[in-house]
Amino acid sequence: MLNPWRLRLLSRLAVLGTVRAVAQDVNLSASTVSHQLALLETETRTRLLERTGRRVRLTPAGEKLARQARAILDHLDAVEAELRGDEPAGLVRIGAFQSAIHTFAVPAATRLAETYPRLETELVEREPHESVPALRAGDSDVVLTTTDFADLPLGPDLEIIRLATDPIVLVTALGRPDPPGLAVLADYAGEPWALDIPPSYMANLTLRLCRESGFEPRVVCRFSNYLMTLQHVEAGLSIALLPGLAVDPRYRVATKALATPVTRTIVAVTRRGSPRRAAVNAVLAALRQPVALPEAVERA
């Protein structure tokens, strides 16, 4: 018999990379985690780990079992949910990037609370470079992310549900004398720039677009919060590239569409490999419902 707890530890090791990191994640000692993984090897009669210096890594058999472990654990969760009844119930953990929280996640959670009182949602802010690993590790059940984050492609182990398309816009202080028409990034080569914190999607995208336009941006600040970025831009201290959904109308800033359009595709993502719980299906249905997206109106 495979022990689900030990399978969970193996799955965590595949994501986190070291026994010490797994131990910290589950609040156990490293020796306890190592002992449990050794017992899993005994249960499976298979060598799952191999030592490389002072560290361990998964063998090919260990990698295969770690991939299958997530599907096994999801299936166990689905069986437990079925035993509790057909109505969506239990906890669904949702990871979402900043600008998708108020636009998609909160409205969906509000509708679910009204419709399914036994369903509980836990919402955690996760940027694309964080959300997909969290989904694969089982720390999130559904994530809102983008298919355009080239540094972390979505693989066949994940199911993708398209929700919307969001344009990337140039954001500057309101009333400044900018060139008319669409924004040509090369015209802003000498400006002070506000960037997100790497390795986030927008930090990487801004650097790439500026470099493709022939210059290295002069970065004067980095914020992980779009509202702080908007405040800095509003004060005339910087300019920024932001997703349209992130531009809060409460800030007095100007937005310009890019001469070479860039968009991001917003998607909901879940794991493949096992029947989805009714609660997860309910969350996905709520996220698919039409939402009032802010219009991409140019302000100057």
Side-chain angles (χ1 to χ4, degrees), residues 74-213:
D74 284 345
H75 185 69
L76 288 175
D77 289 341
V79 170
E80 290 179 0
E82 286 182 14
L83 292 174
R84 292 193 295 265
D86 294 332
E87 179 185 345
L91 176 65
V92 179
R93 296 157 299 178
I94 306 171
F97 55 86
Q98 285 182 54
S99 51
I101 289 176
H102 68 275
T103 308
F104 292 96
V106 170
T110 301
R111 289 191 292 269
L112 289 165
E114 295 170 349
T115 309
Y116 303 112
R118 296 173 57 213
L119 190 156
E120 180 183 357
T121 55
E122 176 187 275
L123 181 58
V124 178
E125 180 186 333
R126 297 189 193 276
E127 288 300 306
H129 68 283
E130 302 167 323
S131 61
V132 173
L135 179 65
R136 287 187 166 126
D139 292 335
S140 292
D141 301 301
V142 178
V143 298
L144 297 177
T145 185
T146 175
T147 57
D148 306 295
F149 189 41
D151 295 340
L152 192 62
L154 304 177
D157 58 322
L158 303 176
E159 182 173 353
I160 302 169
I161 298 98
R162 186 182 180 281
L163 299 178
T165 300
D166 188 24
I168 306 300
V169 296
L170 180 71
V171 187
T172 63
L174 196 63
R176 55 173 270 162
D178 281 327
L182 300 176
V184 178
L185 288 186
D187 294 339
Y188 298 86
E191 298 286 346
W193 284 80
L195 265 67
D196 206 331
I197 295 175
S200 68
Y201 166 72
M202 280 308 305
N204 291 1
L205 177 63
T206 299
L207 282 176
R208 178 172 65 81
L209 293 178
C210 289
R211 289 167 179 170
E212 288 176 355
S213 298

Side-chain angles (χ1 to χ4, degrees), residues 35-95:
H35 178 64
Q36 292 298 314
L37 292 173
L39 289 176
L40 183 61
E41 287 188 310
T42 301
E43 290 172 347
T44 59
R45 300 178 183 178
T46 304
R47 189 182 179 197
L48 304 174
L49 307 173
E50 59 185 4
R51 285 203 167 273
T52 55
R54 299 178 62 183
R55 302 179 65 177
V56 299
R57 67 181 181 186
L58 296 179
T59 64
E63 291 176 352
K64 181 178 180 180
L65 181 58
R67 288 193 300 269
Q68 295 173 335
R70 189 65 259 162
I72 293 169
L73 294 169
D74 284 345
H75 185 69
L76 288 175
D77 289 341
V79 170
E80 290 179 0
E82 286 182 14
L83 292 174
R84 292 193 295 265
D86 294 332
E87 179 185 345
L91 176 65
V92 179
R93 296 157 299 178
I94 306 171

Side-chain angles (χ1 to χ4, degrees), residues 191-273:
E191 298 286 346
W193 284 80
L195 265 67
D196 206 331
I197 295 175
S200 68
Y201 166 72
M202 280 308 305
N204 291 1
L205 177 63
T206 299
L207 282 176
R208 178 172 65 81
L209 293 178
C210 289
R211 289 167 179 170
E212 288 176 355
S213 298
F215 70 96
E216 189 73 16
R218 179 166 62 90
V219 180
V220 297
C221 61
R222 288 186 181 272
F223 300 118
S224 62
N225 186 301
Y226 288 146
L227 299 185
M228 295 172 67
T229 300
L230 289 167
Q231 184 179 21
H232 202 266
V233 171
E234 181 185 50
L237 300 174
S238 61
I239 66 174
L241 289 177
L242 291 178
L245 289 181
V247 183
D248 191 312
R250 293 174 295 179
Y251 290 86
R252 292 177 55 79
V253 295
T255 59
K256 277 195 170 190
L258 301 182
T260 303
V262 178
T263 60
R264 64 174 181 176
T265 302
I266 300 171
V267 295
V269 186
T270 61
R271 295 181 294 273
R272 291 187 188 273

